[in-house]
Amino acid sequence: MSMNATDLYADGPAAGAKAKILLIHFDGAIDAGAAGRMAIRQLLRSLHNERVATFDADTLMDYRSHRPIVTVDNWVSSPDMVMPQTVLDLVEDDMGNPILVLHGAEPDAHWESFTAAIRDICERAGVEITFSLHGVPSGVPHTRPTPVHVQATDESLLPSGSNAISNHMQFPSPLSTFMQIRMGQQGIGGLALLGAVPYYMADTGYPAASSALLTSFAKFADLSLPVGDLEQGAAQDQESIEKLVEGNPEISHTVSALEEHFDAWTGGAGAIPLPGMGQPPVTGAEEKTPKDIGDVIEAYLAQVSRAQDEEIESVQRAPRAEEVEEPAKPDTLEDVLARVEARRRGEGPGPSSPRHRA
């Protein structure tokens, strides 16, 4: 069912803004390592931004897939529910260049009408090109720079050398890709930037991929964007993961194999073909699978984060003099692996939230 595009949104303070670039990312779409989500969050918290439009969630959302968040205090439900939102913001880079950023929950319905509404806004704003950001699980190691692949609505938009690695993929389309194809048919070209995320980091926050996506976007669009916080998060994760890998020969062996594969493909240049989305590389029967590695690393990062929180709390709340506390014994790698195995058997708690997920 088609509907009037203007019925889908309410104008914000920056309605009528002009910009040549539209950046798209929706929560709930393809985004391994929360790479695109953290990149958008970094832009919004670091740069000046104003609301251009807010879209009608009641029309576009299925609340069973985007359930409102309810707060209950002392058994009383607060009327202030957090509703799913899809919004369009005007963001200015460090040099004052305007960008339209479409973000929030991915609409469930009326994709054609929603795309028409965005296209109308873009035509009035003078948008010439669209970008979308995605994290894609791939057979790459965390010890190498994050490759960023480019998918375009027209071959002329691809950077030189992109055809050196041929590929053919079919996958269920996220709304961002759907929109870029439709808008490309109307003369507004689109580029999707795909950050290759190690399989074993796909289910946790991976700021290295977010940093790589923002850096690539800035280069393509000739923008000045802040990536410092993401680079710092990537360095912290790298240090934590390295400590775990060094103490686990099985994981170390698998990472080494991924490094050899990566280097053989790239020669150090950083371009590697994406395998079938969501399909881990074939491993021997005795090797840990990428999912196993992901479980261990996820548990380890949660352990590190929990230890840091406990250390801060212990400084803030010193024990009374009459209390004698024995120092807590730090978890060993064997403890972490045991908890992961228990969780796999359904006997333990689920994983903690990623530390860097925005």
Side-chain angles (χ1 to χ4, degrees):
M1 179 183 69
S2 180
M3 57 183 64
N4 192 332
T6 57
D7 292 337
L8 289 179
Y9 63 90
D11 286 335
K18 302 295 183 181
K20 294 183 178 181
I21 297 168
L22 171 68
L23 178 63
I24 307 169
H25 177 77
F26 296 113
D27 298 338
I30 297 173
D31 195 28
R37 183 184 182 197
M38 289 193 295
I40 295 296
R41 184 63 61 88
Q42 173 72 4
L43 292 181
L44 295 176
R45 69 186 176 196
S46 302
L47 299 173
H48 174 72
N49 59 86
E50 291 184 274
R51 185 61 39 86
V52 175
T54 300
F55 292 86
D56 183 12
D58 204 47
T59 301
L60 297 172
M61 302 294 176
D62 180 345
Y63 290 148
R64 292 171 298 180
S65 62
H66 297 91
R67 295 184 184 274
I69 304 301
V70 177
T71 300
V72 178
D73 283 323
N74 296 323
W75 303 107
V76 177
S77 302
S78 169
D80 300 323
M81 293 186 290
V82 180
M83 304 297 292
Q85 267 197 330
T86 304
V87 299
L88 181 67
D89 287 335
L90 176 68
V91 177
E92 295 180 352
D93 77 348
D94 287 330
M95 303 302 293
N97 298 308
I99 317 159
L100 289 178
V101 180
L102 180 63
H103 63 100
E106 182 182 51
D108 296 291
H110 303 295
W111 281 18
E112 294 284 9
S113 299
F114 178 76
T115 301
I118 296 297
R119 185 176 63 245
D120 289 348
I121 294 174
C122 287
E123 289 175 350
R124 294 196 299 270
V127 169
E128 299 175 357
I129 191 168
T130 68
F131 290 86
S132 62
L133 306 179
H134 308 269
V136 180
S138 188
V140 297
H142 67 279
T143 53
R144 297 293 186 268
T146 300
V148 176
H149 300 266
V150 182
Q151 172 185 314
T153 56
D154 187 275
E155 186 176 355
S156 64
L157 296 174
L158 291 172
S160 59
S162 296
N163 292 331
I165 301 175
S166 61
N167 75 332
H168 175 78
M169 295 187 295
Q170 284 188 315
F171 54 91
S173 173
L175 176 54
S176 55
T177 301
F178 177 91
M179 291 179 61
Q180 288 184 300
I181 291 173
R182 284 286 188 258
M183 294 175 72
Q185 293 170 333
Q186 300 296 321
I188 301 177
L191 291 172
L193 304 182
L194 313 173
V197 175
Y199 279 106
Y200 48 89
M201 296 300 295
D203 293 331
T204 190
Y206 191 61
S210 300
S211 176
L213 286 175
L214 272 190
T215 300
S216 294
F217 172 53
K219 182 178 179 181
F220 273 108
D222 193 22
L223 298 170
S224 178
L225 302 176
V227 295
D229 291 345
L230 294 173
E231 290 176 344
Q232 181 180 4
Q236 292 172 350
D237 272 1
Q238 184 81 4
E239 181 179 349
S240 297
I241 296 170
E242 284 303 319
K243 289 180 180 178
L244 175 61
V245 172
E246 289 173 2
N248 191 313
E250 293 177 323
I251 294 180
S252 179
H253 174 69
T254 302
V255 171
S256 295
L258 291 174
E259 290 173 338
E260 292 176 6
H261 175 70
F262 183 96
D263 294 341
W265 267 104
T266 67
I272 189 169
L274 291 172
M277 289 188 179
Q279 298 299 317
V282 177
T283 59
E286 299 302 319
E287 293 182 6
K288 273 195 169 295
T289 66
K291 181 60 179 174
D292 292 334
I293 299 174
D295 285 340
V296 175
I297 291 178
E298 185 178 356
Y300 180 75
L301 292 178
Q303 170 199 343
V304 171
S305 180
R306 188 166 56 250
Q308 291 172 341
D309 293 341
E310 291 172 353
E311 181 179 354
I312 293 173
E313 184 178 350
S314 67
V315 172
Q316 295 174 337
R317 179 177 49 83
R320 290 178 295 178
E322 64 270 18
E323 294 178 348
V324 179
E325 297 183 357
E326 294 185 5
K329 181 181 178 181
D331 285 350
T332 65
L333 180 62
E334 288 73 18
D335 295 329
V336 176
L337 291 171
R339 285 200 301 272
V340 170
E341 183 60 30
R343 195 179 81 203
R344 185 178 292 110
R345 295 196 304 266
E347 300 172 359
S352 301
S353 298
R355 293 184 299 134
H356 296 291
R357 191 180 295 276

